[in-house]
């Protein structure tokens, strides 16, 4: 893993929303939140992170949609003090990446929270909570054929261990095709070890 440059909360939020907007699972929820806030899709698809007005609107949208800044849902006990960076990851970093503490990911990874273990579960044909693994397999095939994903988002306290904030399906696909996880850009937020453990 190499740090390419410093980033920002605004840049992370813009990438998070773009990924969720393109997600089959979350599209309807985020669209509903956008409608409630009278926001056009351009606020996500043509994000200008140099605009204070846009950044404020996107932060409010992520709060409405996933609880960001409101201490709820995914962002319950989420660290307040984070330094964001754009980093470059390679396949050897996969062993240091973990899922959040969530029942589905815990079961898929056999309690390890490791995408690499989850990939083995998928290859063994085991389905968790009767949920098909087809999405993971298709995503893995996509990257094997040269497809590009949006940047995953992680938290860390030491730049040695990384917890996925956004991009669980993508990281599972990379675990199924580890050779494809080469020079992959990701956003990484550094916080204190206590804050990271409190969020987990």
């Amino acid at each position: 893993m190499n740090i390419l440059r410093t980033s920002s909360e605004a840049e992370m939020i813009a990438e998070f929303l773009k990924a969720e907007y393109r997600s089959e699972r979350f599209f309807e929820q985020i669209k509903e939140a956008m409608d409630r806030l009278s926001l056009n899709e351009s606020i996500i698809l043509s994000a200008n992170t140099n605009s204070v007005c846009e950044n404020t609107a996107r932060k409010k949208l992520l709060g409405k949609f996933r609880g960001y800044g409101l201490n709820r849902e995914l962002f319950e006990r989420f660290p307040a003090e984070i330094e964001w960076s754009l980093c470059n990851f390679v396949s050897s970093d996969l062993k240091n990446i973990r899922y959040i503490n969530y029942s589905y990911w815990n079961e898929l990874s056999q309690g390890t929270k490791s995408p690499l273990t989850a990939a083995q579960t998928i290859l063994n044909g085991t389905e968790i909570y009767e949920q098909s693994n087809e999405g993971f397999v298709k995503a893995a095939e996509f990257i094997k054929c040269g497809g590009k994903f949006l940047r995953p988002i992680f938290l860390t306290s030491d730049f040695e261990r990384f917890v996925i904030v956004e991009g669980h399906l993508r990281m599972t696909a990379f675990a199924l095709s580890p050779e494809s996880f080469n020079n992959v850009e990701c956003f990484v937020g550094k916080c204190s070890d206590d804050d990271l453990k409190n969020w987990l």
Side-chain angles (χ1 to χ4, degrees):
M1 188 281 303
N2 295 304
I3 298 176
L4 301 176
R5 62 170 173 81
T6 58
S7 183
S8 64
E9 176 191 51
E11 200 170 21
M12 178 279 294
I13 289 175
E15 193 78 357
F16 191 109
L17 290 173
K18 188 180 292 185
E20 303 289 81
Y21 189 77
R22 294 180 177 178
S23 164
E24 291 183 8
R25 178 182 177 189
F26 292 109
F27 174 77
E28 292 299 331
Q29 296 175 46
I30 194 171
K31 187 65 171 61
E32 181 180 347
M34 290 169 65
D35 290 344
R36 289 182 179 180
L37 296 173
S38 300
L39 295 175
N40 187 279
E41 68 176 13
S42 64
I43 197 78
I44 294 176
L45 300 182
S46 303
N48 175 10
T49 55
N50 292 316
S51 167
V52 174
C53 183
E54 278 196 24
N55 290 339
T56 300
R58 279 189 291 270
K59 186 171 182 178
K60 187 173 182 180
L61 174 59
L62 188 54
K64 189 82 168 177
F65 169 51
R66 297 296 296 271
Y68 185 78
L70 303 177
N71 193 35
R72 62 178 176 81
E73 299 177 37
L74 173 63
F75 296 102
E76 184 177 1
R77 300 187 305 277
F78 196 71
E81 299 295 326
I82 300 176
E83 296 177 356
W84 291 100
S85 301
L86 180 66
C87 299
N88 194 13
F89 282 71
V90 295
S91 58
S92 59
D93 295 313
L94 281 168
K95 65 182 184 298
N96 300 319
I97 292 170
R98 295 292 182 269
Y99 296 130
I100 57 171
N101 184 25
Y102 185 73
S103 58
Y104 177 80
W105 301 113
N106 291 343
E107 291 293 327
L108 190 68
S109 65
Q110 301 175 42
T112 67
K113 300 182 184 175
S114 169
L116 289 171
T117 304
Q120 191 57 56
T121 301
I122 293 166
L123 291 173
N124 289 341
T126 303
E127 295 184 346
I128 306 302
Y129 303 143
E130 299 182 353
Q131 296 295 311
S132 172
N133 292 325
E134 184 179 356
F136 300 124
V137 175
K138 285 185 175 180
E141 288 299 322
F142 173 74
I143 54 176
K144 285 178 183 178
C145 293
K148 301 295 183 182
F149 286 139
L150 292 171
R151 299 160 175 144
I153 300 170
F154 304 126
L155 275 191
T156 186
S157 63
D158 54 14
F159 284 102
E160 294 182 4
R161 299 163 297 157
F162 304 89
V163 180
I164 304 168
V165 178
E166 200 285 325
H168 285 72
L169 185 149
R170 278 167 280 157
M171 289 313 306
T172 307
F174 278 124
L176 286 165
S177 180
E179 68 279 3
S180 302
F181 197 59
N182 187 36
N183 295 322
V184 175
E185 292 184 357
C186 305
F187 286 109
V188 177
K190 185 181 184 299
C191 62
S192 73
D193 191 54
D194 286 343
D195 282 350
L196 183 58
K197 290 176 180 176
N198 188 49
W199 176 57
L200 293 174

